[in-house]
Amino acid sequence: MLVFIGMFLVIIIQLANLQLFSSKYRIQADDQGTFRKVIYPDRGIVYDRKGKAILQNTTIYDLMVIPGKIKGTDTTALCNILNIDTAEFKKRIVNAIVKNKSFRPSVFEALLSNEKMAKFQENMFKFAPGYYLQERSIRDYPFDAGGNILGYLGEVDSNVLKNPKYEGYLIGDYIGKVGLEKSYEKVLMGQRGIELWKRDNKNRLTERIENGKYDTIAIAGQNMHSSIDIELQALGEKLMENKLGSIVAIDPKTGGILAMVSSPTFKPKLLTGAERKKHIAELLLNPALPLLNRSVGASYSPGSTFKTLQALVALHEGVINTHFTVSCSGAFYGCGGGNPMKCLDRGTFDLRGAITVSDNTYFATVMQRVINNPKYPNVDSSLAAWDRYMYAFGLGHKLGVDVPSEKRGTIPTPAYFNNPKVYGPGKWGYCNFRSVSIGQGEVDVTPIQVANEMAYIANKGWYKIPHLIDSIEGGDKYDMLSKFKEKNSTIDIPDSVFEVVHDGMQNVVDRGTGGAAKVAGITICGKTGTVENYYRGVKQPNHAFFCGFAPRENPKIAIMCVVENSGRFGGTYAAPIVGLMIEKYLKDSITDERRLAKIEQLSKLNLIPPRIFRELNRQDSLMHSKDSAYLIEKGYIHVIKDTIGLDDQDEEDALDKIKKDKETNKQPKKDSSNTNLKDKQQAILPEEKKKGGIRDSLKEHQ
C-alpha cells in the first residue's frame, strides 16, 4: 500500500510540475503548433532622371532549413528536387549549423527556380517543420543596362554580422553588395515584419494567430530618384562593346551623373534569380574584370587632357599671359638636349593655338615656369602650390561619389619626391618629372575625376560632387545627400582665364584634333589625349582619351571617354563616341541615318588588344585543365576579390565553381576551342560579345 501511495504521489507531483511549473513542453507544443514567419519588405525602387523605373522588385522563394528539426524528413526526396547528392546535402547542413546554429533558420537553397518551387509546393508536408519556404522580394531590371551602377544583392555572411554598421541583420538576409545597392543599403532595405501562424497536424499553415493581433507589418524601403539617363547609359554601353574603358557624363550645374559606363560590363539580370550564384562565379573568375567599375575604380595617366588644367594654373599664377608664345622645332629642349621630349607639332603657338593642336613643348615650358616661379623660395613650395590647384580641381583625392570602391588617383607631391627611394630632399627639380606637364609620368586620374574636371572648367571654377542619387522619397533621413548640394570652389580664378581655355577647347573640336566629336548645331569644347603606357617594361598600344562639355554657353553636359589600348589618337575613337553621347543627350534622339550607322560601326569595332585575348585564353585553359587549382594557389581569386571590393561569400562561390569544373574535367574533355570558350563565357559581356580582360592592365593602371 505504501509503495502504491508513493508512486501515486510521484505521478501527481510530476503532472503538477509539467502543467503548472515547467515550460518545456508548452514551448514544444507551441513551437509545433505555431510558425513565426519573417516578412521581408520590398526594397526601394530607383528611378532615372525621366521617372523610369530602372531598379524594381519581383517575388521569388528561398528554401530555409532549421537543422535541429530535420530529423525524420524525407532527405532523398529533397535531394531529388534540388538535384544534389547526399554529400552536398550534408555539407549544407554543416555550414548552416556552423554559421547560424542548429536552432536558427538558414538558407538551404536560395532563389528557387519556378520548376523547383512547383515541386516544393506539392511536397512541402514531407519536409516540415525542418524546412519551409521563405518569400523574398528580389530585384528586377526593366532595362538591361547599368549593371556596374546599380549593383546586386547577396546573402549576409558572418563577416557582415561582425560589422556594427549592419547590426540587426541575420544570416539568410540579403544585403547590397556593390553599386547603389550597397551605398544606399539603409535607405533601400526597409524594415522586416513578422507573422504568427497556426499549424495543423501535417505542419501546414492554416490561419494567423489571433487574426494577426501580434503581427508586425513590413515597411518597404524608400524609393530614390537618380540623375541617370537610362537611354544615354544604354547607348554608352553599346558604343563601348568590344572595348575596354569608360564613359562618364555629368550635369555640370548639379553634379548629377547622367551616364557611368564601364566596359566590359554585365547584364544586371544575371545577378538575380536562381542562377545568380553561377553567374557571380563566372564574372568573378573572368580576367576582363566585368565586375570592376572602371569609372571610379581604375586610374590612368590623363595625357593631353591634362593641359587644360596646366593652362589655368599658369594664367592664374601669372607666369604666362594669353599672348605668350612658344616655338617647337620638334621637341622640348628646356631640360637639355640629351633626352628631349618630342613634339608632333612644329611651329610657334600661343595658348589658344597650343590647346588646339595639343603642343607638348608649349605646356612643358608652361609648367617649367610654374615650378620655377621666383615667388616661391624653392621647388618644394612651388610644387606644393601646384598640388593645391590640382586638389581644388578634384584630383589626387576621392571626390566622394556615391558608388563604392572609388580610387583617389595620384598627384605627385614634394613628400613623394623627397623620399630617398625616389630622389631625396634637394635632389630633384622640374626636369625630373617634366612628363607630368603633358599628363604622363607620376600623375594618374580616374574617369570620374576627368569628367568632374570638365564640369569645373565648364562652370568656370566650381563643381558639385558627382553623384547618382538626387532625391529620396520620404526625406533624406540619414543626411546622405547634403554634401552633393554644396559648391566646391576654393581657388578664385577669374572668368576671363576660363574664357581663354574655352576658346582653345572649342577650336579643338571646330578645327583641331577633336573634329570627330562635332555635332551639327551644338558648340562643343573638348580636348583629346593620347596616353602612352607600359606593362612590365614593354610599351603597350596607346589609350585614347577625349573629354569636353557642351554647349559652350550654359553647359548641360560634361563628359569624358577613355578607350584602353586602342593604339590610336584620342580623336580617332574616343571623340566620335563622345560626340554621339552629347547628341543623344542634348537632342534627346539621334535620327540621322549616317549618325545611326556610326553607332553601329563603333559598336562592332573591336579594339581589345591581343595581350588581353591571350590572358583570357590562358585563363580558359587553366579552368579546363587539371591545373585549375593554380588559380587558388596563386591567390588569383583573392586578388580579384580585393580589387573589385567583393566579400567572402562571392569568393566562396567562385572557389566552389573551380572545384566543380575540376571534377568535370576528370571526364573526357570536349574541344576547348573558341566554341567552348564562347559557351563558357555566356554570362560575361552584353550582346554575346565575349571579349577581353584587363587583369594586367589593371596592375598597370594602379
Side-chain angles (χ1 to χ4, degrees), residues 631-645:
L631 297 169
I632 304 174
E633 295 168 3
K634 296 299 182 182
Y636 178 83
I637 302 302
H638 187 68
V639 170
I640 299 304
K641 183 198 74 167
D642 289 347
T643 299
I644 299 172

Side-chain angles (χ1 to χ4, degrees), residues 125-364:
F125 69 93
K126 298 179 181 179
F127 312 123
Y131 301 88
Y132 65 92
L133 295 173
Q134 175 68 63
E135 183 178 302
R136 295 279 188 185
S137 175
I138 65 165
R139 291 314 221 177
D140 182 48
Y141 304 88
F143 298 89
D144 209 0
N148 290 103
I149 299 173
L150 300 174
Y152 61 90
L153 303 179
E155 188 181 342
V156 167
D157 60 22
S158 56
N159 288 326
V160 172
L161 298 182
K162 294 175 185 176
N163 189 338
K165 177 181 177 182
Y166 300 114
E167 183 179 358
Y169 284 83
L170 302 172
I171 291 289
D173 287 352
Y174 281 74
I175 192 171
K177 291 295 188 77
V178 295
L180 291 177
E181 293 279 28
K182 181 175 182 179
S183 297
Y184 290 93
E185 168 65 21
K186 58 186 176 182
V187 174
L188 294 169
M189 66 173 288
Q191 297 180 23
R192 291 184 294 265
I194 300 294
E195 290 180 357
L196 300 177
W197 287 77
K198 293 180 181 179
R199 295 180 191 262
D200 64 12
N201 60 347
K202 291 187 177 181
N203 288 304
R204 294 174 298 194
L205 302 185
T206 56
E207 60 180 340
R208 307 264 279 277
I209 294 175
E210 297 287 339
N211 293 320
K213 179 179 179 180
Y214 302 107
D215 295 350
T216 57
I217 299 174
I219 300 175
Q222 293 175 266
N223 297 335
M224 305 194 304
H225 295 265
S226 76
S227 54
I228 286 290
D229 185 319
I230 195 61
E231 292 181 2
L232 187 68
Q233 176 75 24
L235 173 62
E237 292 183 10
K238 181 178 178 64
L239 291 168
M240 289 298 290
E241 285 180 0
N242 300 304
K243 303 166 189 67
L244 307 178
S246 174
I247 303 172
V248 180
I250 297 173
D251 182 337
K253 293 295 186 290
T254 67
I257 297 171
L258 306 171
M260 179 182 277
V261 176
S262 178
S263 183
T265 185
F266 60 90
K267 296 174 181 288
K269 291 179 181 178
L270 293 174
L271 299 186
T272 188
E275 297 294 309
R276 176 200 170 278
K277 181 178 288 190
K278 169 190 171 184
H279 292 148
I280 190 67
E282 290 178 349
L283 291 166
L284 183 58
L285 289 168
N286 187 272
L289 298 182
L291 290 175
L292 172 68
N293 186 346
R294 289 166 173 80
S295 301
V296 296
S299 57
Y300 312 81
S301 294
S304 294
T305 62
F306 200 57
K307 294 171 180 175
T308 56
L309 302 183
Q310 302 286 40
L312 292 176
V313 175
L315 287 171
H316 193 240
E317 284 290 298
V319 297
I320 66 168
N321 58 39
T322 58
H323 303 294
F324 174 72
T325 61
V326 172
S327 295
C328 176
S329 60
F332 170 70
Y333 293 100
C335 292
N339 186 24
M341 188 165 65
K342 293 182 179 180
C343 178
L344 297 177
D345 307 288
R346 297 172 183 267
T348 300
F349 307 100
D350 62 7
L351 179 59
R352 292 178 177 87
I355 293 175
T356 301
V357 302
S358 197
D359 183 67
N360 287 348
T361 296
Y362 187 95
F363 289 98

